[in-house]
Amino acid sequence: MEAHGSGFRRVLVLAFCVAGIWSAYIYQGVLQETLSTKRFGSDGKRFEHLSFLNLAQNVICLIWSYIMIKLWSSRSTGGAPWWAYWSAGITNTIGPAMGIEALKYISYPAQVLAKSSKMIPVMLMGTLVYGIKYTFPEYLCTFLVAGGVSTFALLKTSSKTISKLAHPNAPLGYGLCFLNLAFDGFTNATQDSISARYPKTSAWDIMLGMNLWGTIYNMIYMFGWPHGTGYHAIEFCRQHPEAAWDILLYCLCGAVGQNFIFLTISRFGSLANTTITTTRKFVSIVVSSVLSGNPLSSKQWGCVVMVFSGLSYQIYLKWRKLQKLQRKRKTT
């Protein structure tokens, strides 16, 4: 009975994590799409300063992680020093800014789909630079994702969706998304290196260090000269309080979502987190199509299914590899 109760509590915690990640990031996606396509106020102006969202997100997450460290972290030494994140902070500033700027040129579903193809640059770099040999199922996953994304990009977008974009330009939009993935790859590799060098570094320490440097770099970029974009963004928010409220909610969703991701990884591992975030992306596309008026054709839906079939198969392969490792440990 005790084991059954423990298992039931574990299921409840997992359901709580799924609900938290889905609700935080799906709503954040809705807000991101709203800020990139909506015309605010009686003058009907668009919020053109989308990179300002990164600065706002950095500031909120910096404050949030500092509070979490003060409340929950033990004061043990051995964590990474704050200056260790300076290089990862650069790519973590540029990469997401490119991903958000892409929404001026392509629709939100297209952006989510493009950013879901992270395995493509990873496998390309692994094969060409490091000579890594992948299995046929791994190549099949990549083919499904690459084929789905490229076909989706080539298909005609509905006129209703195009009319909502600030500056429709599919090649530029997809190019920004793939540059975003390349910078994210460097960021993740650097974070892994920091965690390996400083094993006592907590998730909150990483969040604090990354957002500290992100705040510094973004502040310099946006307020470092008299006519920086930050001044224009603040003036826009002053004239359109509705946009300021959306930005605040957007940032809070990101901070809350990070909490649930950390909880999921600590309790259930990175594979469970990957599964939850992958399914969340699919639901985000459905929500965008239904609620935000971004109709997809049957062929485009076929591409979406193709991409997420590849991602789901990749998750299955990781799960199978994990099961083999666990069985090998039991026999040794």
Side-chain angles (χ1 to χ4, degrees):
M1 285 295 291
E2 187 177 338
H4 177 73
S6 176
F8 181 68
R9 283 194 298 272
R10 189 170 170 81
V11 170
L12 282 179
V13 173
L14 180 60
F16 181 61
C17 290
V18 172
I21 291 173
W22 277 31
S23 57
Y25 285 111
I26 289 173
Y27 187 48
Q28 188 184 47
V30 171
L31 291 166
Q32 188 180 60
E33 187 171 6
T34 299
L35 286 162
S36 64
T37 59
K38 185 177 176 180
R39 294 184 180 275
F40 292 91
S42 57
D43 51 0
K45 284 187 177 180
R46 291 180 184 270
F47 183 70
E48 294 278 357
H49 320 288
L50 295 179
S51 56
F52 182 75
L53 294 177
N54 282 336
L55 173 59
Q57 181 81 88
N58 287 147
V59 172
I60 295 295
C61 287
L62 177 64
I63 296 169
W64 187 283
S65 56
Y66 179 78
I67 293 171
M68 291 297 106
I69 287 171
K70 288 296 183 183
L71 288 177
W72 304 110
S73 276
S74 59
R75 292 289 86 201
S76 59
T77 58
W82 64 273
W83 48 261
Y85 301 94
W86 73 269
S87 60
I90 294 175
T91 52
N92 195 49
T93 300
I94 299 171
M98 288 181 168
I100 289 177
E101 284 291 321
L103 289 172
K104 292 180 180 179
Y105 311 106
I106 57 175
S107 67
Y108 180 74
Q111 185 229 36
V112 172
L113 211 59
K115 290 176 69 176
S116 298
S117 56
K118 189 177 289 188
M119 68 174 74
I120 298 173
V122 170
M123 288 187 71
L124 277 174
M125 290 292 289
T127 304
L128 299 175
V129 179
Y130 300 106
I132 299 172
K133 292 184 178 179
Y134 296 95
T135 63
F136 174 74
E138 287 173 324
Y139 281 117
L140 179 60
C141 291
T142 307
F143 171 76
L144 287 170
V145 173
V149 172
S150 57
T151 306
F152 188 97
L154 292 171
L155 290 171
K156 186 179 179 181
T157 306
S158 72
S159 56
K160 184 178 180 181
T161 299
I162 291 175
S163 66
K164 294 169 66 179
L165 300 176
H167 311 287
N169 187 329
L172 180 56
Y174 283 106
L176 287 170
C177 285
F178 290 126
L179 283 172
N180 179 191
L181 292 179
F183 280 110
D184 279 355
F186 180 84
T187 301
N188 293 337
T190 307
Q191 285 179 343
D192 291 342
S193 173
I194 291 171
S195 297
R197 279 184 289 144
Y198 304 97
K200 293 183 180 180
T201 303
S202 69
W204 297 119
D205 292 328
I206 294 174
M207 189 175 177
L208 181 74
M210 295 295 290
N211 285 289
L212 172 63
W213 284 104
T215 300
I216 293 170
Y217 293 140
N218 273 310
M219 287 290 286
I220 293 171
Y221 168 66
M222 293 186 183
F223 297 98
W225 47 84
H227 301 289
T229 55
Y231 297 108
H232 298 297
I234 289 175
E235 179 61 22
F236 185 95
C237 291
R238 190 186 66 79
Q239 294 175 359
H240 306 90
E242 185 183 353
W245 180 246
D246 285 345
I247 291 171
L248 177 61
L249 290 176
Y250 170 87
C251 297
L252 289 174
C253 283
V256 171
Q258 282 292 321
N259 275 281
F260 283 105
I261 284 177
F262 294 156
L263 178 62
T264 303
I265 292 172
S266 65
R267 294 292 185 91
F268 305 100
S270 59
L271 185 60
N273 180 63
T274 302
T275 306
I276 295 168
T277 52
T278 299
T279 51
R280 188 276 303 170
K281 290 176 182 177
F282 183 83
V283 176
S284 291
I285 291 176
V286 175
V287 169
S288 175
S289 179
V290 175
L291 295 183
S292 301
N294 289 316
L296 301 181
S297 66
S298 56
K299 290 180 180 179
Q300 286 176 315
W301 276 117
C303 294
V304 172
V305 171
M306 189 175 175
V307 169
F308 283 95
S309 296
L311 294 174
S312 300
Y313 190 35
Q314 184 194 38
I315 291 169
Y316 168 72
L317 292 175
K318 287 181 179 178
W319 174 81
R320 199 169 65 176
K321 190 181 291 185
L322 192 63
Q323 293 295 306
K324 286 181 181 178
L325 281 172
Q326 288 176 345
R327 282 197 294 269
K328 190 179 288 186
R329 285 171 186 166
K330 287 179 181 178
T331 55
T332 55

